Every structure is written in structure tokens, then in C-alpha cells.
Amino acid sequence: MATETRPTTAPPARGGSREKSLRSQKRTASTAIMVFLVVSSLIMATPFLWMALSSIRDPTELAKVPMPLLPQDLRLENYTDALTRAPFAIYARNSLILATAAALLNVAFGSACGYALAKLRFRLAPAIFGWMVACIMIPFYATVIPVFLMVRHMPLFGGNSLLGAGGTGWIDTWWALIVPGAISPFMVFLFRQFYVSTPSELIEAARLDGVSEFGIYTRIITPLIKPGLLTVALLSFEAGWNNFLWPLLVTTSDNLRVIQVGISSFRQEASTEWHLLMAGTTMAAVPMIVLFLIFQRYFVQGFAASGIK
Amino acid sequence: MTTATARTETPADEGPTRRRPTSRRRSVRTAERRWGLLLAAPATLHTLLWIGAPILVAIILSFTAYDIIHPAQFIGLQNYATIFTDELFWRSVLHNVIIAAIGIPISMFLALVFAVLLNRSVPGQGIFRVMVFLPHITATVAVAMIWLWIYNPSQNGLMNIVLGTLGIGPLPFLTDPDLALGAVILVTIWQGIGLKMLIYLAALQGLDGQLYEAADLDGANFVQKFFRITVPMLRPATFFILITSLIANFQTFDLIYILTEGGPANSTSVVTYRIYQTAFQEFRVGLANAQSVILLLILIVFAFLSRRIVGGTDGD
């Protein structure tokens, strides 16, 4: 933007022709930029276009050499075929439940902790904040094996004894899918950042009016950070929907499989049927794309807030 | 708090508060303390249980031989000694380093170009941003599945169609040990541009427009402005992106799992994939935990670097 701002009081008379040549130079420059942007962003989008095109092609067409670049006729049955070959509807439902649970739990508990760390003074606050920041740095991949073992040896679940032996614990249950990742320290951190910028005077005023501490948090301050709530909800939902390794490890039955695991195992079962595979992949990819397009502004804001300012 | 006490004393109608401000303040402080702990407790306990405890368990198990079925046996530093001579583990680390060394600079450069161009008011700005950003928000599993199809070794893989028009190929991208890592790197570049662009965009919007105006008056051209003003001013963002990309790179898993399963001939194995194999295919859980601890140490180094940078700009 700044680069386009030109001095409004352009030098008149003297540079009449110079001005004109500058302007035409600028026009060719912006045309070149436009061309570059169109071509390069098309290249960026090509894999998605290829996925969408392949998902509606006839399998015989996919085998033809050379294959026509555009599908000869639409074959939407690929989608219904994929749905009957693998229970994608169940996978999608499971992903939806998982992602929604992640979003709700992160918003509820993340905001509570974020608010306390930002606005309330209690002795443990600095230590808890430090702990959360340390947790952000610990990658899930470094703890995945112990978390798996903890889930498997969860006492008194899945036929386990009080000492967590003998059965399968939380393996292949909703507990395993939802509980270990229910609260992300990064979301707590994000919430704290959102709450820090709200006015503390409001809290003081509400206290004087006799509003309870919990009421101040839920009814007075939290409504001020609605964009923040939406950001965290979206980021958590995205993480839940896109999660792969953890659901892969803890689920075995189709009833609990999520969509990312579903398409990856579908690939092994139907490795040559690219038309079905691409239909399944489209079903796994499109919900996040649609959600992103709707809430684009907040995604961008959330990412900006999570990084640098 | 001082402003608060001042306020409590001013309104005339608040009789009891006015008469005994200190006790009232004390009860507010107690409530604050109590609610602070109460609201912070669930998240704190959850992270202690699901992040803190697993870290401890990982460290303890890294000193044991454990196969899930039999009880763990303490074996001291033997796992670490094994890793020291485990060629495949270090090859996997090396692959992470190669992917980072080639992929990150290219991806960062392209992201910067996109960010600078899309920071100007061009028509269709929003659409362009979305197109560049989409690979980032799409699940890596889906992304990998799409590229699996693009790299399809028959002449009908998109990549081979494109190469075919240039008179090359068809090439077996994912099954040739010499090509597979390159094929993986290309996907990481494509997938990584979006987020980097976004961070650059955010940083660009915080830049001071006056510098550009001054440069305009001095007759600086686009290229000069780019290298003399934009690039130096974006140095904090660049460093931030670099560190976070390095951290993310060492956590690559989904892509490898779908695209190559570490093959062919282990030519694309990465650290997380190696850990996964050790733990869940070879069932050498103790050894896998030692590998995790080493991964953690690698990441802590990067995290501390990034913490120092982000910490500096952390706007409280």
C-alpha cells in the first residue's frame, strides 16, 4: 500500500512528458505484477484443481494415454461410489465431533486460564504462565509414545485393573480421541494475549457494582474478545479436523475412525482407483477450505496474533 | 489497584465501602486470588497430566528396554549408545536437515515475493491470498494424497504430463531413491509458502510508510526499495519465520507417512517417522523414547532461539 502512495502535489509543468512516461512505466509494471500473480497463484492452486478434476473423471479416462486434460463427462457417481466403498460419512461425522469438541473445550478452558493469567493476580500466575510457554515448545511428537501408553493403561477402563493392566484402556474410545488433546497450551497463550488488551478499568467498575468474579469473566470481559474466541475456535477445529497421527494410533474400528485416517487407509485398500481416492480426498479437504473462506478474516487475524505483531 | 481504591472512595452513595475500604479491598483480593486459581486450574492440571507427565515418562523410559508386552527393564544409557551408532536414525535427521536447507529458503523467498506483491492494492488481492494460503490449511494427509496422484509414475501423473510436454520422462518420482527426497521437498515448499506469506504480510503492514515516501522522492525504483528498505526492515519477521519453520520441519510426519513411508530404501525417512517405526512397528519403545528425547533436545535449541526473538516483541 505504502509503495503506491504518491505525493499528491506532483511536480507540474516541468515534467509533463516525464510524468506521462512514468505513468506508463507504472502501468506496465502493474500489468506485469498482475500477470505474475495470476500465473503463480494458479500454479499454487493447480494441485487442488487436479484433485477436483480427477474426482469427477471416469476411471477409463484416467487410464487413457494421453489423458485429456479436461474431463470428457462429469462422473459424480465417484462420490457416491467412494461413500459406499468406505464409510466416509461416518469418518466425516467422527471428525466433526472431534473437531467440535476440540474447539469447545479449548474455548472454555483456554479462555478461563487465559483470563486468569492476564487479569487476575494470584501467587501461582507467573509460574503457570511460564509452564504454558514451556509446554508450547514441547512438540507432540516427543511425547506421543508416553501419552499412548498412558491412554492404553488408563485404570479401570477397557478391562484394565486399578493398576492399568490387563485390558486396552482408552484405546478405541472417544476418551482417547478427545481428552489428551482437549486443552492446548498454545490456545491458552493466545487467549492471554487477547485478554491483556482488554481494559482493566471495566473489571474494577464491575467489582464495584457487585458483579461476581465469574460474572466479570463470562459476561463483561469475554464478550469483548469475540474475534479472539472465534479465532481459537477455528484454529482448534482446524487442528482437530486435520489431526492424523494420534487418531491413527488410538483407533482401530470404523466407528471411531476420523476422515484423515479414513482416506489414508482407503488408499491401501483401493490403491489404483484414483477416481475414488480423489473423491474421498476432496471430501476430507473441502470442509476446511469452505470454513476458511467463510472466516478468512479471523484465520488471518489469529495467525497474525499468534506470531509477531 | 490504587486507582480502584481511589474510585471506591469517591462515590458518596456507597456508604459501607466508603467507611471500610481496606476490608472491602481485602475481600476483593481474596476473591481475585481464589478465582484466579480456580479458572487456571483445569488447563494447568490438564497440561501437567498430558504434557508434563509424558515428558517425565519419556525420559524414564529412554533408559529402559521395553516392548509393551514385557515389563520395562532398566538398561542405563544403552539406548543412547544404540542411537549413537544407529545409521538410519542419523540419516533421518540428515533428511530433515536437507529438506530444511533446500525447502525453507526457497519457500521463504517465494513467500516474501507474494507478500510484497499482495501488500499492494491489486485487484483480486483477497483471491490471490486465499489461493496461496490454501495448502497451509488443508490437512497434510489430503495434501499428500493429492501429490501422490500428481507424482503418479504412469504418464498420467500431472507431473509426468508436464514433463512429457518438455520431452522428459515419465519419471518414477516417489520410487526412485534419487528423486524421492526432491519430490518431498517440492511439496514442503508448496505447502509452506502460505503461512510464511501471511507472517510477512502482517510484518509489512506494520512498516513505516514514510520511508517509502522518502525513497520515492529520492527516485528509488521498486527493486532498490525492496532490497534497501523492505528486506532489512523485515529482518525480525524473517528470523521468526526461519526458526518456526525449522521447528515445524523436525515435526514432519503425515507427509512422509502417506507419500513414501520413508522409502524407497529409507531415502526419505525423517526423525518423527523413524520414531514411529521404532515404537509402533519394531516395538522398541524404550529406544523410541530415547530418540524422542533427542528430538526434544534439538527442538528446545530452536525453541529457545525463537523465544528470545518472540519474547522481545511480545506486546504486553
Side-chain angles (χ1 to χ4, degrees):
Chain A
M1 287 280 272
T3 49
E4 291 236 313
T5 356
R6 293 163 50 86
T8 39
T9 51
R14 192 155 69 113
S17 64
R18 188 168 156 252
E19 182 76 350
K20 211 175 287 168
S21 82
L22 259 178
R23 209 175 302 148
S24 79
Q25 241 177 45
K26 210 146 214 182
R27 206 173 306 130
T28 37
S30 47
T31 315
I33 288 172
M34 236 4 227
V35 171
F36 173 82
L37 281 176
V38 169
V39 172
S40 54
S41 57
L42 266 178
I43 293 174
M44 289 293 291
T46 296
F48 290 109
L49 296 175
W50 196 242
M51 166 190 77
L53 283 181
S54 308
S55 75
I56 49 171
R57 279 182 202 265
D58 194 279
T60 54
E61 187 179 302
L62 288 180
K64 222 179 269 171
V65 176
M67 173 171 56
L69 265 188
L70 290 175
Q72 299 301 296
D73 46 15
L74 301 185
R75 214 184 102 93
L76 292 172
E77 302 96 89
N78 286 350
Y79 283 86
T80 48
D81 288 355
L83 280 169
T84 54
R85 286 289 296 282
F88 278 111
I90 294 178
Y91 298 160
R93 180 206 67 184
N94 294 341
S95 285
L96 189 67
I97 295 174
L98 177 63
T100 309
L104 291 178
L105 291 167
N106 269 304
V107 165
F109 294 111
S111 73
C113 189
Y115 171 76
L117 293 180
K119 291 297 181 189
L120 300 179
R121 281 168 308 161
F122 55 104
R123 205 167 298 143
L124 280 174
I128 292 178
F129 180 62
W131 168 246
M132 289 293 165
V133 171
C135 280
I136 293 174
M137 297 179 192
I138 294 167
F140 176 65
Y141 292 98
T143 59
V144 63
I145 302 164
V147 174
F148 177 82
L149 294 175
M150 284 166 65
V151 160
R152 191 170 178 273
H153 293 292
M154 191 54 67
L156 303 179
F157 279 91
N160 273 351
S161 68
L162 192 63
L163 293 173
T168 52
W170 278 359
I171 298 295
D172 216 30
T173 66
W174 280 107
W175 297 103
L177 278 176
I178 292 174
V179 173
I183 305 173
S184 141
F186 176 68
M187 299 305 169
V188 172
F189 176 79
L190 213 51
F191 266 122
R192 179 187 169 272
Q193 300 303 93
F194 288 128
Y195 280 115
V196 159
S197 53
T198 56
S200 295
E201 293 79 19
L202 269 181
I203 301 177
E204 306 291 356
R207 275 179 191 150
L208 287 183
D209 289 345
V211 184
S212 71
E213 288 292 329
F214 188 70
I216 295 174
Y217 153 61
T218 52
R219 287 186 285 123
I220 306 218
I221 302 298
T222 301
L224 295 179
I225 60 151
K226 271 184 198 140
L229 291 174
L230 197 56
T231 303
V232 171
L234 284 168
L235 291 177
S236 317
F237 190 92
E238 187 214 1
W241 184 270
N242 291 348
N243 201 352
F244 176 67
L245 177 64
W246 183 246
L248 173 75
L249 292 178
V250 296
T251 60
T252 48
S253 65
D254 267 343
N255 265 332
L256 281 171
R257 250 188 203 162
V258 298
I259 194 149
Q260 309 300 345
V261 178
I263 53 169
S264 95
S265 61
F266 187 55
R267 168 198 152 205
Q268 276 135 21
E269 288 153 21
S271 56
T272 47
E273 294 174 283
W274 286 105
H275 59 299
L276 299 185
L277 208 49
M278 284 302 109
T281 304
T282 308
M283 286 188 264
V286 159
M288 276 320 300
I289 294 175
V290 170
L291 210 60
F292 170 72
L293 290 177
I294 297 172
F295 295 107
Q296 198 213 127
R297 224 153 41 91
Y298 298 103
F299 256 94
V300 173
Q301 199 178 323
F303 276 116
S306 67
I308 43 166
K309 303 187 178 173
Chain B
M1 210 55 205
T2 43
T3 54
T5 32
R7 278 229 210 144
T8 48
E9 283 166 325
T10 35
D13 48 21
E14 287 199 28
T17 327
R18 206 176 138 206
R19 230 165 285 145
R20 302 186 339 186
T22 41
S23 88
R24 153 104 205 211
R25 186 172 58 172
R26 199 172 299 146
S27 79
V28 164
R29 288 293 320 239
T30 321
E32 198 180 340
R33 222 174 274 151
R34 199 170 296 153
W35 276 100
L37 261 183
L38 208 60
L39 292 176
T44 309
L45 295 177
H46 186 275
T47 47
L48 281 174
L49 182 64
W50 293 106
I51 299 177
I55 285 284
L56 285 179
V57 174
I59 293 170
I60 294 168
L61 284 179
S62 75
F63 299 111
T64 67
Y66 183 42
D67 61 0
I68 298 194
I69 300 158
H70 303 96
Q73 265 188 322
F74 182 78
I75 55 166
L77 288 170
Q78 207 174 303
N79 284 328
Y80 291 95
T82 309
I83 291 174
F84 201 67
T85 55
D86 179 1
E87 201 228 345
L88 184 49
F89 180 78
W90 294 110
R91 263 184 79 189
S92 303
V93 174
L94 180 68
H95 290 147
N96 276 116
V97 172
I98 294 173
I99 294 170
I102 299 173
I104 293 176
I106 296 176
S107 175
M108 281 175 77
F109 175 74
L110 294 174
L112 179 59
V113 171
F114 273 117
V116 168
L117 294 183
L118 290 177
N119 194 37
R120 303 156 60 99
S121 51
V122 289
Q125 188 190 49
I127 301 166
F128 289 132
R129 286 185 188 177
V130 167
M131 282 164 93
V132 176
F133 194 58
L134 272 188
H136 175 77
I137 52 144
T138 309
T140 306
V141 175
V143 157
M145 210 63 82
I146 298 168
W147 281 89
L148 203 58
W149 169 226
I150 290 176
Y151 283 141
N152 191 26
S154 84
Q155 285 172 32
N156 284 347
L158 179 62
M159 205 53 111
N160 277 321
I161 294 178
V162 172
L163 288 184
T165 61
L166 303 172
I168 309 170
L171 297 174
F173 292 98
L174 296 174
T175 45
D176 181 338
D178 294 330
L179 293 176
L181 195 60
V184 168
I185 292 173
L186 183 63
V187 182
T188 64
I189 292 171
W190 172 79
Q191 200 186 13
I193 291 175
L195 183 60
K196 298 181 180 72
M197 174 197 71
L198 209 64
I199 298 172
Y200 270 136
L201 263 179
L204 279 172
Q205 272 156 19
L207 289 193
D208 188 358
Q210 283 184 345
L211 270 173
Y212 289 99
E213 277 167 37
D216 276 335
L217 286 177
D218 288 345
N221 65 29
F222 185 75
V223 177
Q224 284 171 326
K225 279 186 286 187
F226 179 77
F227 283 108
R228 296 282 169 81
I229 302 177
T230 311
V231 172
M233 296 273 277
L234 286 178
R235 198 171 294 153
T238 301
F239 208 55
F240 174 79
I241 295 172
L242 181 68
I243 300 286
T244 48
S245 305
L246 283 172
I247 294 174
N249 171 270
F250 272 94
Q251 298 180 59
T252 311
F253 176 81
D254 306 5
L255 191 66
I256 300 297
Y257 181 92
I258 304 286
L259 268 189
T260 63
E261 297 191 33
N266 296 318
S267 61
T268 58
S269 182
V270 292
V271 178
T272 50
Y273 192 77
R274 182 71 200 126
I275 294 174
Y276 168 82
Q277 275 186 317
T278 313
F280 297 103
Q281 288 175 1
E282 299 165 15
F283 300 106
R284 296 157 82 186
V285 177
L287 180 62
N289 275 295
Q291 292 170 339
S292 300
V293 170
I294 294 195
L295 170 67
L296 185 63
L297 291 177
I298 294 174
L299 288 171
I300 282 176
V301 172
F302 291 131
F304 265 106
L305 282 177
S306 81
R307 203 42 221 160
R308 280 188 57 190
I309 299 147
V310 188
T313 54
D314 192 357
D316 267 30

